[in-house]
Amino acid sequence: MSKLSGKTALVTGSSRGIGRATAIALAREGALVAVHYARSQQAAQETVALIEKDGGRAFTVHAELGVPGDIDQLFSGLEAGLKQHTGQTTLNILVNNAAETSTGTAPEDLSVEEFDKMFAVNAKAPFFIAQRALELIPDGGRIINISSGLTRVAAPSQIVYSMTKGALEQLTLHLARHLAPREITVNTVAPGTTDNGHEFWKIPEVREQMSQTTAFKRLGDTKDIANVVAFIAADEALWITGAFIDVTGGSLLG
């Protein structure tokens, strides 16, 4: 029997990249996965198609995060989908993956609008998603927050992105203590340099330069991250909570 058979999961931002790979990995282990997307319904449906081709089950949920009404829209779609597929609204696994990324802006050039948008999507939304999800998550559930290795190094052009991920790591720490009596584990997974399919990674010079930052001298694959998330979501990881799990391929070794 698959490790997550009978479980349900929500992966935010799972229409592409690490989120897509995570949704596929959880479904492969038997979970019914809610594939959340903000903009591209087609991309989200492609994720569902990949899951179904592999014998798994999934459905899409739409909500643009960081705007008024985002949490209500997200959970309205989530609960409807869960009810349709299972007859209940139980959510066993929440993966806060969706994030507003930065192409790199010097601290003195960053606008108030960019700052607010990044915090709204990367820090505020995960907090209120987790808060709302607790109404659906039974004892023994899982909350997994996707952070970044950038919270452990200095990268001035990514200062606000790193600040938002630092806030997300604090959410992990405090919720882990708060939810321990319910045996709900809360952990942070921190990817490093990962080829998420962005055009940026198709540039040979960029790939070579960034590959040298990892101990293995290659870019991370989205599956490298997804496999760790799937492990933490399973029963074997019930004694891990409040952890920062470095999945940077050794980028932080110095």
CSV table of all heavy atoms in Angstrom, one decimal, residues 113-144:
chain,number,residue,atom,x,y,z
A,113,GLU,N,5.4,48.9,-3.7
A,113,GLU,CA,4.4,48.0,-4.3
A,113,GLU,C,5.0,46.5,-4.4
A,113,GLU,O,4.3,45.5,-4.1
A,113,GLU,CB,4.0,48.4,-5.7
A,113,GLU,CG,3.1,49.7,-5.7
A,113,GLU,CD,3.9,51.0,-5.4
A,113,GLU,OE1,5.1,51.0,-5.6
A,113,GLU,OE2,3.2,52.0,-5.0
A,114,GLU,N,6.3,46.4,-4.9
A,114,GLU,CA,6.9,45.1,-5.0
A,114,GLU,C,7.1,44.5,-3.6
A,114,GLU,O,6.9,43.3,-3.4
A,114,GLU,CB,8.3,45.3,-5.7
A,114,GLU,CG,8.3,45.6,-7.1
A,114,GLU,CD,9.6,45.9,-7.7
A,114,GLU,OE1,10.2,47.0,-7.4
A,114,GLU,OE2,10.2,45.0,-8.3
A,115,PHE,N,7.5,45.3,-2.6
A,115,PHE,CA,7.7,44.9,-1.3
A,115,PHE,C,6.4,44.3,-0.7
A,115,PHE,O,6.3,43.2,-0.2
A,115,PHE,CB,8.2,46.0,-0.4
A,115,PHE,CG,8.5,45.7,1.0
A,115,PHE,CD1,9.8,45.4,1.4
A,115,PHE,CD2,7.5,45.5,2.0
A,115,PHE,CE1,10.1,45.1,2.7
A,115,PHE,CE2,7.8,45.2,3.3
A,115,PHE,CZ,9.1,45.0,3.7
A,116,ASP,N,5.3,45.1,-0.8
A,116,ASP,CA,4.0,44.6,-0.3
A,116,ASP,C,3.5,43.4,-1.0
A,116,ASP,O,2.9,42.5,-0.3
A,116,ASP,CB,3.0,45.8,-0.4
A,116,ASP,CG,3.3,46.9,0.5
A,116,ASP,OD1,4.0,46.7,1.5
A,116,ASP,OD2,2.7,48.0,0.3
A,117,LYS,N,3.6,43.3,-2.3
A,117,LYS,CA,3.2,42.1,-3.0
A,117,LYS,C,3.9,40.9,-2.6
A,117,LYS,O,3.3,39.8,-2.4
A,117,LYS,CB,3.4,42.4,-4.5
A,117,LYS,CG,2.9,41.2,-5.4
A,117,LYS,CD,1.4,40.9,-5.4
A,117,LYS,CE,1.0,39.9,-6.4
A,117,LYS,NZ,-0.4,39.6,-6.3
A,118,MET,N,5.2,41.0,-2.4
A,118,MET,CA,6.0,39.8,-2.1
A,118,MET,C,5.6,39.3,-0.7
A,118,MET,O,5.5,38.1,-0.4
A,118,MET,CB,7.5,40.1,-2.2
A,118,MET,CG,8.3,38.9,-2.7
A,118,MET,SD,10.0,39.3,-3.1
A,118,MET,CE,9.7,40.3,-4.5
A,119,PHE,N,5.4,40.2,0.3
A,119,PHE,CA,5.1,39.8,1.6
A,119,PHE,C,3.6,39.3,1.6
A,119,PHE,O,3.3,38.4,2.4
A,119,PHE,CB,5.2,41.0,2.6
A,119,PHE,CG,6.5,40.9,3.3
A,119,PHE,CD1,7.6,41.6,2.8
A,119,PHE,CD2,6.7,40.2,4.5
A,119,PHE,CE1,8.9,41.6,3.5
A,119,PHE,CE2,7.9,40.1,5.2
A,119,PHE,CZ,9.0,40.8,4.7
A,120,ALA,N,2.8,39.9,0.8
A,120,ALA,CA,1.4,39.4,0.8
A,120,ALA,C,1.3,38.0,0.3
A,120,ALA,O,0.5,37.2,0.9
A,120,ALA,CB,0.5,40.3,-0.1
A,121,VAL,N,2.0,37.6,-0.7
A,121,VAL,CA,2.0,36.2,-1.2
A,121,VAL,C,2.8,35.3,-0.4
A,121,VAL,O,2.4,34.1,-0.2
A,121,VAL,CB,2.4,36.2,-2.7
A,121,VAL,CG1,2.5,34.8,-3.3
A,121,VAL,CG2,1.5,37.1,-3.6
A,122,ASN,N,4.0,35.7,-0.1
A,122,ASN,CA,5.0,34.7,0.5
A,122,ASN,C,4.9,34.6,2.0
A,122,ASN,O,5.4,33.5,2.5
A,122,ASN,CB,6.4,35.2,0.2
A,122,ASN,CG,6.7,35.3,-1.3
A,122,ASN,OD1,5.8,35.0,-2.1
A,122,ASN,ND2,7.9,35.6,-1.7
A,123,ALA,N,4.3,35.5,2.7
A,123,ALA,CA,4.3,35.4,4.2
A,123,ALA,C,2.9,35.5,4.7
A,123,ALA,O,2.4,34.7,5.5
A,123,ALA,CB,5.1,36.6,4.8
A,124,LYS,N,2.1,36.5,4.3
A,124,LYS,CA,0.7,36.7,4.8
A,124,LYS,C,-0.2,35.6,4.4
A,124,LYS,O,-0.9,35.0,5.2
A,124,LYS,CB,0.2,38.0,4.3
A,124,LYS,CG,-1.2,38.3,4.8
A,124,LYS,CD,-1.7,39.7,4.3
A,124,LYS,CE,-3.2,39.9,4.8
A,124,LYS,NZ,-3.6,41.3,4.3
A,125,ALA,N,-0.1,35.2,3.1
A,125,ALA,CA,-1.0,34.2,2.6
A,125,ALA,C,-0.8,32.8,3.2
A,125,ALA,O,-1.7,32.2,3.7
A,125,ALA,CB,-0.9,34.1,1.0
A,126,PRO,N,0.5,32.4,3.4
A,126,PRO,CA,0.7,31.1,4.0
A,126,PRO,C,0.2,31.1,5.5
A,126,PRO,O,-0.3,30.0,5.9
A,126,PRO,CB,2.3,30.9,4.0
A,126,PRO,CG,2.7,31.7,2.8
A,126,PRO,CD,1.7,32.9,2.8
A,127,PHE,N,0.3,32.2,6.2
A,127,PHE,CA,-0.2,32.2,7.5
A,127,PHE,C,-1.7,32.0,7.6
A,127,PHE,O,-2.2,31.1,8.3
A,127,PHE,CB,0.1,33.6,8.2
A,127,PHE,CG,-0.5,33.7,9.6
A,127,PHE,CD1,0.3,33.3,10.7
A,127,PHE,CD2,-1.7,34.2,9.8
A,127,PHE,CE1,-0.3,33.4,12.0
A,127,PHE,CE2,-2.3,34.3,11.0
A,127,PHE,CZ,-1.6,33.9,12.1
A,128,PHE,N,-2.4,32.7,6.7
A,128,PHE,CA,-3.8,32.6,6.8
A,128,PHE,C,-4.4,31.3,6.1
A,128,PHE,O,-5.4,30.8,6.4
A,128,PHE,CB,-4.5,33.9,6.2
A,128,PHE,CG,-4.4,35.0,7.2
A,128,PHE,CD1,-3.5,36.0,7.0
A,128,PHE,CD2,-5.2,35.1,8.3
A,128,PHE,CE1,-3.3,37.1,7.9
A,128,PHE,CE2,-5.1,36.1,9.2
A,128,PHE,CZ,-4.2,37.1,9.0
A,129,ILE,N,-3.6,30.8,5.2
A,129,ILE,CA,-3.9,29.5,4.6
A,129,ILE,C,-3.8,28.4,5.7
A,129,ILE,O,-4.7,27.6,5.9
A,129,ILE,CB,-3.0,29.1,3.4
A,129,ILE,CG1,-3.4,30.0,2.2
A,129,ILE,CG2,-3.2,27.7,3.0
A,129,ILE,CD1,-2.4,29.9,1.1
A,130,ALA,N,-2.7,28.5,6.5
A,130,ALA,CA,-2.5,27.5,7.6
A,130,ALA,C,-3.6,27.7,8.6
A,130,ALA,O,-4.1,26.7,9.1
A,130,ALA,CB,-1.1,27.7,8.2
A,131,GLN,N,-3.9,28.9,8.9
A,131,GLN,CA,-4.9,29.2,9.9
A,131,GLN,C,-6.3,28.6,9.5
A,131,GLN,O,-6.9,27.9,10.3
A,131,GLN,CB,-5.1,30.7,10.1
A,131,GLN,CG,-6.1,31.1,11.2
A,131,GLN,CD,-6.4,32.6,11.1
A,131,GLN,OE1,-7.1,33.0,10.2
A,131,GLN,NE2,-6.0,33.3,12.1
A,132,ARG,N,-6.7,28.8,8.3
A,132,ARG,CA,-7.9,28.2,7.8
A,132,ARG,C,-7.9,26.7,7.6
A,132,ARG,O,-8.8,26.0,7.9
A,132,ARG,CB,-8.2,28.9,6.4
A,132,ARG,CG,-9.6,28.5,5.8
A,132,ARG,CD,-10.7,29.2,6.5
A,132,ARG,NE,-11.9,29.1,5.7
A,132,ARG,CZ,-12.3,30.1,4.9
A,132,ARG,NH1,-11.6,31.2,4.8
A,132,ARG,NH2,-13.4,30.0,4.1
A,133,ALA,N,-6.7,26.2,7.2
A,133,ALA,CA,-6.6,24.8,7.0
A,133,ALA,C,-6.7,24.0,8.3
A,133,ALA,O,-7.1,22.8,8.3
A,133,ALA,CB,-5.2,24.5,6.4
A,134,LEU,N,-6.4,24.6,9.4
A,134,LEU,CA,-6.5,23.9,10.7
A,134,LEU,C,-7.9,23.5,11.1
A,134,LEU,O,-8.2,22.7,11.9
A,134,LEU,CB,-5.9,24.8,11.8
A,134,LEU,CG,-4.4,24.9,11.8
A,134,LEU,CD1,-3.9,25.9,12.9
A,134,LEU,CD2,-3.7,23.6,12.0
A,135,GLU,N,-8.9,24.1,10.4
A,135,GLU,CA,-10.3,23.7,10.6
A,135,GLU,C,-10.5,22.4,9.9
A,135,GLU,O,-11.5,21.7,10.2
A,135,GLU,CB,-11.2,24.8,10.0
A,135,GLU,CG,-11.1,26.2,10.6
A,135,GLU,CD,-11.9,27.2,9.9
A,135,GLU,OE1,-12.8,26.8,9.0
A,135,GLU,OE2,-11.8,28.4,10.2
A,136,LEU,N,-9.7,22.0,8.9
A,136,LEU,CA,-9.9,20.8,8.1
A,136,LEU,C,-8.8,19.7,8.5
A,136,LEU,O,-9.1,18.6,8.2
A,136,LEU,CB,-9.8,21.2,6.6
A,136,LEU,CG,-10.6,22.3,6.1
A,136,LEU,CD1,-10.3,22.5,4.6
A,136,LEU,CD2,-12.1,22.1,6.4
A,137,ILE,N,-7.7,20.1,9.0
A,137,ILE,CA,-6.6,19.1,9.3
A,137,ILE,C,-6.9,18.4,10.6
A,137,ILE,O,-7.0,19.0,11.6
A,137,ILE,CB,-5.3,19.8,9.4
A,137,ILE,CG1,-4.9,20.5,8.0
A,137,ILE,CG2,-4.2,18.8,9.7
A,137,ILE,CD1,-3.6,21.3,8.0
A,138,PRO,N,-6.9,17.1,10.5
A,138,PRO,CA,-7.1,16.3,11.7
A,138,PRO,C,-5.8,16.1,12.5
A,138,PRO,O,-4.8,16.4,12.0
A,138,PRO,CB,-7.6,14.9,11.2
A,138,PRO,CG,-6.9,14.8,9.8
A,138,PRO,CD,-6.9,16.2,9.3
A,139,ASP,N,-5.9,15.6,13.7
A,139,ASP,CA,-4.7,15.3,14.5
A,139,ASP,C,-3.8,14.4,13.7
A,139,ASP,O,-4.3,13.5,13.0
A,139,ASP,CB,-5.1,14.6,15.8
A,139,ASP,CG,-5.8,15.6,16.8
A,139,ASP,OD1,-6.0,16.7,16.4
A,139,ASP,OD2,-6.2,15.1,17.8
A,140,GLY,N,-2.5,14.6,13.7
A,140,GLY,CA,-1.6,13.8,13.0
A,140,GLY,C,-1.3,14.3,11.6
A,140,GLY,O,-0.6,13.7,10.8
A,141,GLY,N,-1.8,15.5,11.2
A,141,GLY,CA,-1.7,16.1,9.9
A,141,GLY,C,-0.3,16.6,9.7
A,141,GLY,O,0.6,16.6,10.6
A,142,ARG,N,-0.1,17.2,8.5
A,142,ARG,CA,1.2,17.8,8.1
A,142,ARG,C,1.1,19.2,7.5
A,142,ARG,O,0.2,19.4,6.7
A,142,ARG,CB,1.9,16.9,7.1
A,142,ARG,CG,2.2,15.4,7.5
A,142,ARG,CD,3.4,15.4,8.4
A,142,ARG,NE,3.7,14.0,8.8
A,142,ARG,CZ,3.3,13.3,9.8
A,142,ARG,NH1,2.4,13.9,10.7
A,142,ARG,NH2,3.7,12.1,10.1
A,143,ILE,N,2.0,20.1,7.9
A,143,ILE,CA,2.1,21.4,7.3
A,143,ILE,C,3.6,21.5,6.9
A,143,ILE,O,4.5,21.3,7.7
A,143,ILE,CB,1.7,22.5,8.2
A,143,ILE,CG1,0.2,22.4,8.6
A,143,ILE,CG2,2.0,23.9,7.5
A,143,ILE,CD1,-0.3,23.5,9.6
A,144,ILE,N,3.8,21.8,5.6
A,144,ILE,CA,5.2,21.8,5.1
A,144,ILE,C,5.3,23.2,4.3
A,144,ILE,O,4.6,23.4,3.4
A,144,ILE,CB,5.5,20.7,4.1
A,144,ILE,CG1,5.3,19.3,4.9
A,144,ILE,CG2,6.9,20.8,3.6
A,144,ILE,CD1,5.2,18.1,4.0
